[in-house]
Amino acid sequence: MAEKRDYYEVLGVDKGADKKDIKKAYRKLAMKYHPDVSEDKESGEKFKEISEAYAILSDTEKRQTYDQYGHAGMNGFSQEDIYNNVNFDDIFRGFGFGGGQGGNRSGGGFESIFDLFGFGGNTRNGPSQGEDVYYEMNITLEEAALGLEKDIEVPHKKTCPHCQGTKAEPGTDTRTCPECGGSGQVRQVSNTPLGQFATVRPCRTCRGEGQIIDTPCTECHGKGIVKHKSTIHIKIPPGVEDGSRLRVPGEGDVGKRGGPPGDLYVMIGVKKHQLFQREGSDLTYNMPISFVQASLGDTVEAPTLTGAVDLKIPAGTQTGTSFRIRGEGMPHLRWNGKGNLYVKVKIVTPKKLSPKQKELLAEFADVSGEEIYAEDKGFFEKVKEVINH
């Protein structure tokens, strides 16, 4: 199965596009790819693709979810959820594709979309998977290196324990909806300039349930589900990176009409470390050393995530030199072993020197043939020298 394209790319708009620009882009593409006017053999799939993109990006809440999690954030949405509350009538009316042409319709564009591509009908009233739930967790670099197990409390929707999801108060009866005959849907045929469109919409009398509940459950108020916090034990593997997702199957929201539950996605954020910068499995540490240490060489202690190790600084080391300490980085997530720690040295010039230190450095410069500029002259003397030069 081909990977889904980015919704913004599908409509040809920038991520910062407003609703007006998104609607304009969709209208243009709908005129081009509507199956009733296009001769393109793939027009049906293209029209379905742009309609889905428009349904998501024209809805503020769905768009925010998509912007944050991408297509993964849409996994818990059924086709009904995606197109719900989207009004296609004002778009298609100008093209003569439907809307306001005979029949008593509400949201006709929405239902036409379902009927047009064959994912309407009774399938909309069947079982559907529950929505995925996202939980954000921030951990330290040390925790990411060692891995950890933790219990977290996740708020999600579960089947009401009082009515067992029937939505009715236990001991009371439900009756078949007289409007839809228990199907939960009402089918209508509308006449348009391009012919007849058969549309299917949820029954308004029973709200698509097919049953009339006279005595709703007192616990869930007739919803069949309740908000619940579950304690879930999770295992985070060593080497996990910032932005990683940990999937826990079946711990999302309860499914609709007997469908399977969604999944839980734990979004991992790794906090910045005071000493180390991370790049993949490697770590970098910037270590300050003195001019003497760089010139004469020294053995210093370099910090790691597990403790300090000895690092030999050769004589004549230049600032910016990087030393590799094998195996002191982060664990590899997909294979055994660890990355490396790179210690990058920076020579620190002392800001305050004693008279003796100045004397010795001047002597060093004299022996080395370096020219020394006296720093003990007053400001006005220096200005006078510049002027008289």
Side-chain angles (χ1 to χ4, degrees), residues 179-198:
E179 179 72 18
C180 64
S183 68
Q185 298 170 337
V186 176
R187 186 178 182 86
Q188 293 180 331
V189 177
S190 301
N191 295 316
T192 74
L194 297 174
Q196 290 187 332
F197 279 88

Side-chain angles (χ1 to χ4, degrees), residues 40 51 84 104 120 189 255 333 335 380:
D40 189 338
S51 296
N84 192 26
N104 181 19
V189 177
L333 192 59
W335 59 86
F380 291 104

